[in-house]
Amino acid sequence: MNTTNNNQSQTLTSPLLERLGEALLTIKNLHANINGKEILKGLDLTVRPGEIHAIMGPNGAGKSTLASVLTGNPAFEVTHGSVTFQGKDLLELAPEQRANEGIFLSFQYPVEIPGVSMVNFMRTAINEQRKYRGLDQISATDFLRLMREKKELVEMDNKLANRSVNEGFSGGEKKRNEIFQMAMLDPSLSILDETDSGLDIDALRIVANGVNKLKRPNNASIVITHYQRLLDYIIPDFVHVLYDGKIVKSGTKDLAFELEERGYDWIKQEVEEAP
Amino acid sequence: METIKNVSVSEASFSGRLEGFEQQYIDLYKQYHEQIKQHSAPVMNVSRNASFGLFEQLGFPTSKLENYKYTDLKESLSGEYGLNLNRLKIPVNPYEVFKCDVPGIHSYLYFVVNDGFYPVNDARNETLPEGVIIGSLSKMAEVHPELIENYYGKLSCTKKDGLVAFNGAFAQDGFFMYVPQNVQLDRPVQLINIMRSDVDFMANSHNLIILGKGAKAQLLVCDHTVDDVRFLSNRVTEVFVGENATYEHYKLENTHTRTTNLSTLLIDQQASSNVLGNIITLHNGVTRNTIEIDIDGENCETLLCGMVIADKKQQVDNFTSIIHNQPNSNSRELFKYVLDDLSKGGFTGKLYVARDAQKTSAFQTNRNILLNKSAKMRTKPQLEIYADDVKCSHGATIGQLDETAKFYMQSRGIPEKEARLLLMYAFTGDVIENIRIDALQDRMKLLVEKRLRGELSKCEGCVICQ
Ligand SMILES: Nc1ncnc2c1ncn2[C@@H]1O[C@H](COP(=O)(O)OP(=O)(O)OP(=O)(O)O)[C@@H](O)[C@H]1O
Ligand SMILES: [Mg+2]
């Protein structure tokens, strides 16, 4: 078991990963279950400020599970390993604390909340974040200005912002709404779980632009996707392959092209042939 | 671990009556019926003995009865309650001490203290629109007997219901409102029922509301308790809504946990009339609301909404019944419950569509959230449809708070407690939307939020309560 893990981390400690500076997020040997079934089986990943990491991998590999575990979804149980975020033990924190520490997840399947207006939802979220950081509540005018600014950034229809959270939104509208929320909350680590799927070409460009405009030297993103195309817009520093609960291969954006061309079989084979 | 007393009660209750508790009231009536009549109005006494006879026959209802399946009055009826049959003055001036106003509502404000209409403060010097009469039912029955005798008891006297019969025997007064033809009340009318006593106390009151053709009125009924003793109130309200008239009835209960609140609201709708009922239980002990709306004319609109927030050992049973006797009317029902701890909720949605009531459309929804495993909800649609060209539907759900929605909110930094609150608040939102008095709607939003936060155990702003 240990040897396997060492082999994994050898793949990871490629020269690419050996950058200077403090890590924003460090995941070590992470194991997680759902309903008693192990999904993450010893996952390692390090993300430094300013980096964009793409995670690819076959259906059911555990990509969304990783996102859920990082954001503290109570359906998942962490059995082994550690996650450090900005020097703090992330696994000790409640979901809302993680969010207020600066983690944001753009859900693969955003949730509809009938009866809770977008405005009320966003105002509550912003104020909770401010409270967490010891700031006063946002003023009505500042809040409206912020909403307007961020709506423009993702070119979101005004009508959507006046409705209940995601209620009756189309698939694409929901994804755009995720990026809008991300823009509002300005996270230091954003995790985008298949934000590109379900978006038309224009929307994809708008959403990717939004993400790029939010990029800063001190924040980072993990972009989960099935399609190399997104990576034309959001250019990753690293591409990882998540397979069977582990990161089994890491590389540059060229790896994404290779996957697009060759699929995952060769990776699966490599994994199976490994000692 | 039932007490001996309760065992004997449940043995006796196969007949659908609570034998053990009835006798003292039967004896009381036999002994004091002259006094009861003497301190009431002749119009109200006409049917009194008949009501008593009916009560002797029916007794208090038990959960063995189909219509009372979800109401358990054993606990409530045990023990002794004082009654004020001789109409002694209660030493409280609600106008001075009870400031339970909804900011900005500008209502015409009236009080029933226990079972009697409290005289209107002369100093108020408020003039009602021309022809409108509001006051004590027994007083007005003496001043305008010809008006009241055509209506009093017309909906209630024939009801085969032990509580209604009991009310018919014991009620001596209540609230009366008459809005003549084509008169529209410019402001809402507010009736506050206050329970005030130093000993365990029972109140029976009877309200009568008459809207002439094309009249319009909004009534807000608030139920409050003041003292920390056991209260039992048994109130019957009859409402006659004339042709083309519009009537809104809001009932807001905010009583303490030692209260049993039994209320029967009977509404008769004539052609082209519009009725909204919104029955909100924010805080209570044991509550039974019976609401029956008879649609006796064509082209009527009926919307009956309700909401319950209950925790601890609170019980709320809303028994509703909408009866379409005539064609071409629409009715809609919407009830929502949020139940926590050991609370119990009951909902019955009876819908009757007579053979001639073609083109009826009737929709019924009851949705419930149980916040934990020990809370209980029982819901029952009861549809009897004899017409063939109708659109009717009903739906009931009992569930928990949406965990995925809660996590989604938390993932945006909203603490779990706050997320739960937002979800519960959203859940009740459509009932609150159906309050057509803006000031009341705003107030309710605030009160519901406070209630959900656990910050409200008695009425906000009541000087008396604090
Ligand atoms: N509630 C659950 N109960 C049991 N198994 C689950 C549950 N949720 C997820 N799984 C399983 O966990 C595994 C990983 O799922 P996950 O959603 O993380 O995959 P993914 O890599 O995101 O896939 P995709 O590319 O299809 O989104 C799958 O086999 C899935 O069936
Ligand atoms: Mg996924």
Side-chain angles (χ1 to χ4, degrees):
Chain A
M1 190 71 192
N2 260 338
T3 15
T4 330
N5 277 336
N6 285 341
N7 281 346
Q8 296 305 281
S9 52
Q10 245 159 34
T11 344
L12 283 168
T13 43
S14 65
L16 278 170
L17 290 172
E18 283 173 3
R19 290 224 180 143
L20 288 173
E22 285 262 302
L24 187 66
L25 176 79
T26 314
I27 305 174
K28 284 193 181 141
N29 192 26
L30 186 65
H31 291 251
N33 289 354
I34 184 154
N35 298 332
K37 181 178 155 205
E38 182 162 71
I39 309 290
L40 297 185
K41 305 176 181 175
L43 186 143
D44 298 273
L45 180 69
T46 303
V47 178
R48 290 182 177 78
E51 294 176 347
I52 294 180
H53 291 245
I55 296 183
M56 303 182 80
N59 293 130
K63 302 182 295 297
S64 296
T65 301
L66 174 62
S68 297
V69 169
L70 291 179
T71 47
N73 188 329
F76 296 85
E77 184 201 359
V78 174
T79 52
H80 278 294
S82 66
V83 181
T84 312
F85 179 69
Q86 290 177 330
K88 288 192 176 135
D89 179 356
L90 191 70
L91 301 177
E92 283 292 299
L93 303 178
E96 58 268 26
Q97 292 172 313
R98 301 181 193 199
N100 291 327
E101 287 288 338
I103 290 188
F104 180 90
L105 169 61
S106 165
F107 283 65
Q108 183 173 1
Y109 305 108
V111 181
E112 298 196 6
I113 316 178
V116 176
S117 71
M118 270 306 293
V119 174
N120 195 13
F121 177 58
M122 266 350 302
R123 194 189 299 110
T124 309
I126 292 274
N127 279 330
E128 288 296 342
Q129 188 189 66
R130 293 177 66 91
K131 190 156 92 187
Y132 189 86
R133 296 173 187 178
L135 299 170
D136 286 341
Q137 297 223 328
I138 191 165
S139 73
T141 33
D142 285 353
F143 178 72
L144 289 176
R145 179 156 25 80
L146 190 68
M147 286 279 283
R148 189 165 0 95
E149 234 175 74
K150 304 305 179 187
K151 269 187 292 198
E152 277 165 18
L153 184 78
V154 296
E155 297 177 31
M156 191 165 85
D157 196 332
N158 248 328
K159 274 180 255 139
L160 293 182
N162 291 330
R163 286 179 20 198
S164 288
V165 179
N166 290 324
E167 193 186 26
F169 286 27
S170 76
E173 287 168 345
K174 284 180 183 166
K175 295 301 175 77
R176 201 181 291 217
N177 189 17
E178 294 292 284
I179 302 306
F180 164 70
Q181 293 173 43
M182 171 178 150
M184 289 290 290
L185 294 169
D186 192 21
S188 40
L189 177 68
S190 50
I191 305 163
L192 309 186
D193 191 356
E194 296 198 28
T195 303
D196 52 334
S197 52
L199 287 181
D200 65 41
I201 313 224
D202 292 335
L204 180 65
R205 191 177 32 78
I206 292 160
V207 163
N209 273 342
V211 172
N212 287 332
K213 279 188 206 151
L214 294 170
K215 194 176 164 180
R216 260 183 289 288
N218 56 353
N219 62 20
S221 296
I222 296 175
V223 180
I224 298 170
T225 182
H226 285 295
Y227 306 105
Q228 184 280 324
R229 193 184 56 192
L230 176 69
L231 307 179
D232 285 342
Y233 296 100
I234 302 174
I235 296 162
D237 300 292
F238 308 99
V239 174
H240 309 277
V241 179
L242 204 164
Y243 171 65
D244 194 23
K246 281 172 284 204
I247 285 177
V248 295
K249 197 166 191 69
S250 297
T252 61
K253 69 180 166 60
D254 295 337
L255 179 58
F257 283 102
E258 200 175 353
L259 292 170
E260 183 103 333
E261 218 161 90
R262 297 174 63 192
Y264 290 109
D265 281 351
W266 63 283
I267 297 213
K268 295 179 187 173
Q269 223 158 27
E270 268 186 27
V271 171
E272 269 143 39
E273 281 161 16
Chain B
M1 276 285 282
E2 289 202 297
T3 64
I4 292 165
K5 195 172 183 185
N6 280 346
V7 172
S8 72
V9 166
S10 58
E11 275 168 5
S13 61
F14 284 105
S15 59
R17 47 185 292 164
L18 291 167
E19 308 276 2
F21 306 126
E22 271 121 22
Q23 201 52 48
Q24 56 174 315
Y25 297 105
I26 290 171
D27 295 344
L28 188 77
Y29 187 85
K30 285 185 174 156
Q31 197 180 341
Y32 291 104
H33 64 105
E34 285 309 327
Q35 272 104 314
I36 295 174
K37 289 172 188 160
Q38 198 187 323
H39 293 284
S40 185
V43 178
M44 296 178 74
N45 291 334
V46 173
S47 50
R48 197 175 292 283
N49 284 347
S51 293
F52 173 70
L54 192 58
F55 174 71
E56 261 192 312
Q57 192 191 319
L58 296 170
F60 288 121
T62 78
S63 44
K64 295 268 186 307
L65 294 175
E66 188 62 26
N67 288 0
Y68 278 88
K69 250 176 143 164
Y70 308 148
T71 297
D72 183 357
L73 296 177
K74 258 184 280 182
E75 184 81 28
S76 301
L77 289 168
S78 68
E80 300 207 347
Y81 293 98
L83 280 109
N84 185 11
L85 304 178
N86 286 320
R87 322 301 312 142
L88 300 175
K89 212 165 151 37
I90 305 289
V92 60
N93 181 353
Y95 286 97
E96 272 171 19
V97 291
F98 204 86
K99 303 248 172 6
C100 181
D101 54 342
V102 176
I105 195 170
H106 300 302
S107 62
Y108 296 106
L109 182 64
Y110 301 92
F111 293 91
V112 164
V113 177
N114 298 335
D115 48 10
F117 185 90
Y118 194 89
V120 178
N121 196 347
D122 289 337
R124 192 159 66 166
N125 197 15
E126 192 173 60
T127 40
L128 289 162
E130 175 106 41
V132 173
I133 306 168
I134 296 180
S136 147
L137 177 61
S138 63
K139 286 261 164 51
M140 293 305 159
E142 282 173 15
V143 187
H144 308 279
E146 71 301 334
L147 175 62
I148 291 178
E149 69 196 2
N150 288 332
Y151 295 96
Y152 180 81
K154 292 292 175 290
L155 300 176
S156 63
C157 276
T158 52
K159 287 280 165 290
K160 292 255 174 301
D161 180 309
L163 296 178
V164 176
F166 188 87
N167 181 277
F170 285 96
Q172 293 164 288
D173 192 15
F175 169 85
F176 174 71
M177 172 163 84
Y178 171 69
V179 186
Q181 192 167 338
N182 293 327
V183 173
Q184 316 204 331
L185 273 171
D186 52 334
R187 285 148 52 190
V189 177
Q190 190 175 2
L191 164 64
I192 301 183
N193 290 312
I194 298 178
M195 293 300 275
R196 158 80 191 86
S197 170
D198 298 329
V199 295
D200 294 356
F201 202 80
M202 173 191 283
N204 293 278
S205 66
H206 196 114
N207 306 319
L208 179 62
I209 292 151
I210 305 163
L211 271 71
K213 288 182 188 172
K216 203 168 174 179
Q218 299 170 308
L219 178 67
L220 164 61
V221 181
C222 301
D223 291 320
H224 294 289
T225 45
V226 173
D227 307 284
D228 189 19
V229 296
R230 295 177 71 197
F231 284 118
L232 188 148
S233 60
N234 179 30
R235 308 186 193 280
V236 171
T237 303
E238 296 180 274
V239 185
F240 296 86
V241 185
E243 263 176 54
N244 274 311
T246 301
Y247 179 65
E248 294 171 23
H249 187 104
Y250 303 95
K251 179 175 184 282
L252 170 59
E253 176 170 1
N254 201 358
T255 57
H256 66 46
T257 51
R258 300 180 73 198
T259 308
T260 300
N261 195 350
L262 312 171
S263 108
T264 305
L265 172 63
L266 305 168
I267 300 180
D268 180 79
Q269 269 188 269
Q270 294 299 316
S272 304
S273 62
N274 189 316
V275 165
L276 164 68
N278 205 330
I279 311 300
I280 296 174
T281 309
L282 270 189
H283 198 279
N284 74 314
V286 173
T287 295
R288 157 75 180 210
N289 291 308
T290 303
I291 301 133
E292 184 177 307
I293 302 178
D294 286 273
I295 300 172
D296 285 328
E298 291 194 43
N299 301 313
C300 290
E301 291 290 330
T302 308
L303 174 57
L304 179 58
C305 299
M307 178 180 113
V308 173
I309 302 175
D311 54 13
K312 290 168 265 185
K313 286 163 92 176
Q314 297 170 6
Q315 283 183 42
V316 184
D317 181 16
N318 286 305
F319 181 93
T320 72
S321 157
I322 296 180
I323 298 168
H324 285 261
N325 289 316
Q326 297 290 328
N328 295 313
S329 290
N330 302 322
S331 71
R332 204 152 63 78
E333 240 186 302
L334 175 68
F335 274 78
K336 299 248 176 126
Y337 291 58
V338 179
L339 303 177
D340 201 354
D341 301 336
L342 291 161
S343 63
K344 283 187 192 151
F347 173 79
T348 304
K350 193 173 154 190
L351 173 67
Y352 179 94
V353 182
R355 195 147 45 107
D356 296 335
Q358 300 294 1
K359 306 270 184 220
T360 286
S361 92
F363 303 106
Q364 182 189 103
T365 309
N366 169 227
R367 292 183 57 206
N368 310 289
I369 286 182
L370 303 184
L371 295 175
N372 69 21
K373 288 202 178 80
S374 48
K376 281 202 178 66
M377 178 68 203
R378 300 203 280 170
T379 174
K380 187 176 67 170
Q382 199 179 319
L383 275 59
E384 285 179 52
I385 297 168
Y386 298 102
D388 47 22
D389 184 14
V390 300
K391 277 192 211 126
C392 296
S393 77
H394 66 89
T397 56
I398 300 176
Q400 280 79 44
L401 276 187
D402 183 347
E403 289 295 318
T404 41
K406 194 180 85 185
F407 176 68
Y408 187 75
M409 293 195 194
Q410 285 180 270
S411 80
R412 302 305 185 236
I414 301 172
E416 179 176 8
K417 199 170 156 240
E418 201 63 27
R420 285 169 66 91
L421 190 89
L422 275 173
L423 287 174
M424 290 189 278
Y425 186 71
F427 175 75
T428 57
D430 46 2
V431 172
I432 298 175
E433 290 302 315
N434 281 312
I435 294 175
R436 298 179 191 150
I437 302 170
D438 289 347
L440 180 62
Q441 192 186 82
D442 290 347
R443 186 68 173 167
M444 278 312 302
K445 285 182 179 166
L446 192 85
L447 288 180
V448 167
E449 190 187 322
K450 275 181 172 281
R451 174 66 174 102
L452 292 171
R453 281 187 195 282
E455 288 169 7
L456 182 77
S457 57
K458 285 181 187 170
C459 184
E460 165 88 352
C462 302
V463 173
I464 266 178
C465 296
Q466 284 162 1

